[in-house]
Amino acid sequence: MKNSKGSLVRPDPLPESVSTPVVTPLSPSVVYASESPDELDSQYEGRVHGYTYSREGHPNADVVAKRLDAMEGAEGGVVTGSGMAAVSAVLMGLLAAGDHVIGGNQLYGRSLRLMKEDLPRMGIATTLADPGDVAAVAAAIRPETRMVLVEVVSNPTLRVADLDGLATLCKARGVLLAVDNTFTTPKSIRPFEHGADIVIHSVTKLLSGHSDVMLGYVVARDPELTEKMRIFAVTAGLTPSPFDCWLAERGMLTFDLRFDRAQATAVALADHLAGLPGVKRVLYPLRSDHPDRDRATALLGTQGCNMVSFELEGGRPQANAFARGAEGLSFAPTLGDVGTTLSHPASSSHRGMTAQERAAVGLSEGFFRVSVGLEEPGALLKVFSEAVAAATAVS
Ligand SMILES: *Cc1c(COP(=O)(O)O)cnc(C)c1O
């Protein structure tokens, strides 16, 4: 039996409606049918817009890209299947064998692995340097250096990159500055306004916000570079699924409110923790005792981030007691979720280092990183008071 459009198998098109849905429709179709070879020519030659095959692009990805473009003050950004897909599109889509790239020495763990293991295997040389020290980055530049890749606020010690200094340096030396803005988000800082050439996001984190989507985004100031990354992403299959894009868009509708709430609670939590017996130190970029406070204020204004790190007195027994005592919070290695999550670098992200190596970067057994969520602030502070008290009760 044929349907009314003549298809032997496929269902009828959706019923017509003069009213329109208020929610973006989900379009899981992998393929899009064109009318004729002439029409396909028009599509490929850009005279009309039309989708062909969803690895090359689909409506749900484009809706998310547009929203992120507007937030970053950019155009034509590429949505990818994860944050690491976006980082890979930058490094593998733009660099070639013989090039050299400098990475921040506290990049996200998998970005560090790309720098240390995978790029060298492909003939791309890498160096790590402190993104807060422009002179150190300058000293690492070679004639073949093509790019510097940094995060605005680093994980988990929350140090702040000297973005303005790096932008001046990179411009003078003809090097691209790529900035991973995942922790800070465009609510805190728009890296293009500080001279960045490329902006990267793990949309998985605060932007989607519910820990049910993996997604990434990347865009360059120069449309030719964005196009190169798009082509690489399509070829390497870094494309996102329509459903993940649909969920991400749903999350992004409330991003503004979620960020404000989590950020304000993070400020309160940092101050609260600093007053608790048994807490050795607290790290929050906008606190007066943070080593990068002035730079954080200049770059981020009053919107810091939702991340707070702190160090408990004692060692593993105290850390165990704290994690067990933090009732209602997830001890889980992610960030940006609606619920507060705790991570413990010594047993997770930094477990590959020796205790001495960790001590050198200030990551003892008592060090925790907190991604502040949307709990009622008073109730959240109470959980922390009780969990720290449980830790100090351990001898
Ligand atoms: C999580 C994260 C990534 C990787 O993103 P995924 O979506 O997990 O692939 C990259 N950079 C930073 C700063 C991150 O926090």
Side-chain angles (χ1 to χ4, degrees):
M1 197 182 71
K2 291 185 183 186
N3 74 17
S4 54
K5 289 270 274 196
S7 168
L8 297 176
V9 175
R10 286 288 170 194
D12 273 322
L14 289 175
E16 274 187 22
S17 168
V18 290
S19 49
T20 51
V22 295
V23 172
T24 304
L26 174 62
S27 301
S29 195
V30 165
V31 282
Y32 290 81
S34 302
E35 216 165 59
S36 64
D38 273 356
E39 191 187 80
L40 210 49
D41 275 348
S42 301
Q43 275 179 239
Y44 276 117
E45 285 156 23
R47 291 192 294 278
V48 295
H49 180 261
Y51 299 102
T52 51
Y53 187 64
S54 70
R55 182 162 28 72
E56 315 258 336
H58 54 75
N60 291 104
D62 285 352
V63 167
V64 170
K66 269 222 166 75
R67 189 168 277 274
L68 288 163
D69 288 346
M71 290 169 84
E72 283 293 3
E75 255 177 69
V78 183
V79 175
T80 55
S82 68
M84 281 316 300
V87 174
S88 301
V90 173
L91 295 170
M92 297 182 190
L94 298 181
L95 301 176
D99 288 343
H100 173 244
V101 55
I102 300 168
N105 56 2
Q106 291 196 4
L107 288 174
Y108 180 71
R110 289 282 157 187
S111 300
L112 273 182
R113 196 191 144 90
L114 265 180
M115 303 285 296
K116 286 184 186 162
E117 309 284 334
D118 299 296
L119 295 183
R121 193 162 47 74
M122 296 166 185
I124 299 165
T126 66
T127 307
L128 300 178
D130 176 359
D133 182 350
V134 175
V137 176
I141 292 181
R142 309 175 187 171
E144 62 275 18
T145 305
R146 287 261 292 135
M147 187 185 290
V148 171
L149 168 65
V150 299
E151 291 165 17
V152 184
V153 169
S154 70
N155 177 33
T157 55
L158 311 183
R159 297 301 301 258
V160 182
D162 184 350
L163 217 52
D164 294 317
L166 290 175
T168 306
L169 170 72
C170 287
K171 194 157 194 246
R173 305 291 292 271
V175 172
L176 293 170
L177 177 60
V179 176
D180 181 334
N181 198 20
T182 300
F183 267 47
T184 25
T185 82
K187 276 277 282 184
S188 264
I189 186 167
R190 305 211 304 179
F192 286 131
E193 291 171 3
H194 294 267
D197 297 293
I198 295 163
V199 175
I200 303 164
H201 278 285
S202 168
V203 182
T204 309
K205 311 291 169 58
L206 289 133
L207 291 164
S208 294
H210 295 69
S211 293
D212 51 11
V213 176
M214 299 216 79
L215 214 67
Y217 166 83
V218 63
V219 67
R221 187 201 299 271
D222 175 353
E224 273 182 36
L225 294 181
T226 305
E227 194 51 25
K228 271 190 161 177
M229 293 189 283
R230 179 190 314 283
I231 291 169
F232 179 77
V234 169
T235 305
L238 309 180
T239 318
S241 95
F243 183 56
D244 287 345
C245 294
W246 187 88
L247 275 177
E249 187 204 2
R250 189 180 198 271
M252 285 166 66
L253 297 176
T254 56
F255 164 70
D256 212 64
L257 289 170
R258 287 187 287 103
F259 188 85
D260 283 353
R261 165 74 170 239
Q263 201 275 139
T265 308
V267 171
L269 177 66
D271 291 343
H272 179 70
L273 283 169
L276 293 180
V279 173
K280 210 192 266 180
R281 63 180 178 134
V282 174
L283 294 169
Y284 187 73
L286 298 178
R287 261 180 69 85
S288 57
D289 58 359
H290 190 279
D292 300 327
R293 149 82 190 245
D294 291 345
R295 190 182 296 146
T297 308
L299 288 177
L300 312 177
T302 56
Q303 295 275 43
C305 59
N306 77 315
M307 306 297 291
V308 178
S309 292
F310 70 99
E311 194 179 346
L312 287 169
E313 312 265 9
R316 180 59 70 93
Q318 284 72 22
N320 283 332
F322 173 80
R324 291 193 181 115
E327 260 181 64
L329 310 186
S330 308
F331 177 53
T334 189
L335 65 107
D337 186 52
V338 288
T340 295
T341 52
L342 304 171
S343 68
H344 181 247
S347 63
S348 58
S349 53
H350 293 67
R351 67 175 299 122
M353 294 165 89
T354 64
Q356 275 116 327
E357 285 169 336
R358 281 196 295 267
V361 287
L363 297 173
S364 68
E365 280 290 339
F367 193 102
F368 278 89
R369 188 194 77 177
V370 186
S371 166
V372 177
L374 307 183
E375 293 86 354
E376 193 277 309
L380 186 69
L381 301 196
K382 188 159 167 278
V383 170
F384 274 88
S385 297
E386 288 166 2
V388 171
T392 55
V394 175
S395 55

